Amino acid sequence: MRLQKEELSKSLDMNEKQILETFELVNGYYEKYLKNFQVKAVNLRDKSGKYTKDALVLVYLAKDYPHTRAISKAELTEFVRKFYPKVSDVQQARHLSKQGGYYIISGTRGDIGEQIPAGFYKLIDLTRPYPSFKSNRRKGIHFLDFEELKKEYHYKCATCGSIEGQAHNIRTHELTKLQVGHMNPALPLKPGNVIPQCQVCNRPDRDRWIYDKTGRVVEIADTDDGKRVVEKYLKKVSLGTKEYFLQLLKTLLRLK
């Protein structure tokens, strides 16, 4: 236990020179590669001159790039706490990948590819964005368009029917807030691929499903989250069902 604490203390010891050098490395890759994919730019410092939490997390994950390692959320939090002593829960790694576009995998999310423990994150590549990142996900729908759409749905969530501004049907202690929701998360948000969903139904796992205009799930989405649904399902079903899908895949792929 003492050895583990000493190793953790040593790993947390990034001096200012190392932070600046690593950030310059990351920024170089960003300008050369990631900027072209519209990955989110990260500022090193805020207006007061302090390192931003995004920059600290990204730098820590990029340490020794390309020979990065899986880092626990607890370790990331301890590192950020050196600069923000009151921080209790660091969420930046998750946001930098799914929303920012950086190729950071999560053990908890169960990303396809390299397997790392739950509660850990790892920076994989600085030349490619996160596989399911779509820079234009929130483009194409204007405020007035969405207001008209909400009116068509009588200001109700298409999925659960909760009414905007009133107590939520499930989380009765919360007021319903309607958000722009994908019908098919593999496609851009634009007219014909949008339904109003509340803050509960429009949660991160929505990327698993394709919805129809009534808010019902009709298919599994062709996304990383959708693939994980299929993978989890196939692990649990009977041998007979596995054999059925094996034969189906052979037919679809024209295999003998």
Side-chain angles (χ1 to χ4, degrees), residues 12-172:
L12 290 172
D13 188 23
M14 282 187 79
N15 58 41
E16 186 166 1
K17 180 182 178 182
Q18 291 173 313
I19 291 173
L20 293 175
E21 288 178 347
T22 305
F23 185 81
E24 285 301 313
L25 173 74
V26 171
N27 196 51
Y29 277 98
Y30 175 83
E31 292 293 333
K32 186 174 182 180
Y33 301 103
L34 299 179
K35 189 175 182 179
N36 298 326
F37 295 100
Q38 296 183 308
V39 168
K40 174 187 173 184
V42 170
N43 294 320
L44 177 62
R45 299 180 188 275
D46 61 19
K47 293 180 180 180
S48 68
K50 292 182 64 176
Y51 291 128
T52 65
K53 294 176 184 176
D54 279 353
L56 290 170
V57 168
L58 190 55
V59 161
Y60 199 71
L61 289 169
K63 187 179 180 182
D64 300 322
Y65 183 84
H67 306 293
T68 57
R69 63 185 178 88
I71 297 173
S72 70
K73 185 178 180 181
E75 186 175 338
L76 282 171
T77 300
E78 283 302 311
F79 176 66
V80 173
R81 196 171 282 154
K82 293 174 61 178
F83 304 88
Y84 292 86
K86 294 183 180 180
V87 71
S88 59
D89 186 27
V90 170
Q91 299 286 340
Q92 276 69 22
R94 177 168 60 87
H95 296 155
L96 283 168
S97 62
K98 293 286 282 186
Q99 299 170 21
Y102 291 88
Y103 199 162
I104 299 169
I105 63 172
S106 162
T108 302
R109 194 164 54 226
D111 287 302
I112 294 172
E114 183 173 345
Q115 300 297 309
I116 61 175
F120 280 69
Y121 296 93
K122 184 177 180 180
L123 176 66
I124 298 297
D125 196 347
L126 285 172
T127 65
R128 296 178 291 154
Y130 184 75
S132 62
F133 174 68
K134 297 177 181 63
S135 61
N136 62 349
R137 286 173 64 92
R138 294 292 165 186
K139 294 182 180 178
I141 296 296
H142 300 289
F143 177 75
L144 292 177
D145 297 332
F146 188 51
E147 284 299 314
E148 286 297 318
L149 185 64
K150 289 195 293 184
K151 186 177 180 180
E152 290 181 20
Y153 281 80
H154 304 289
Y155 298 94
K156 294 181 179 180
C157 171
T159 303
C160 74
S162 296
I163 301 174
E164 186 170 46
Q166 297 185 16
H168 194 274
N169 290 347
I170 300 170
R171 297 181 183 175
T172 55

Side-chain angles (χ1 to χ4, degrees), residues 198-217:
C198 67
Q199 71 273 25
V200 177
C201 296
N202 193 32
R203 58 193 185 276
D205 68 2
R206 69 187 182 278
D207 284 356
R208 301 173 184 171
W209 319 113
I210 295 175
Y211 297 88
D212 66 11
K213 290 186 177 181
T214 66
R216 295 181 302 173
V217 173

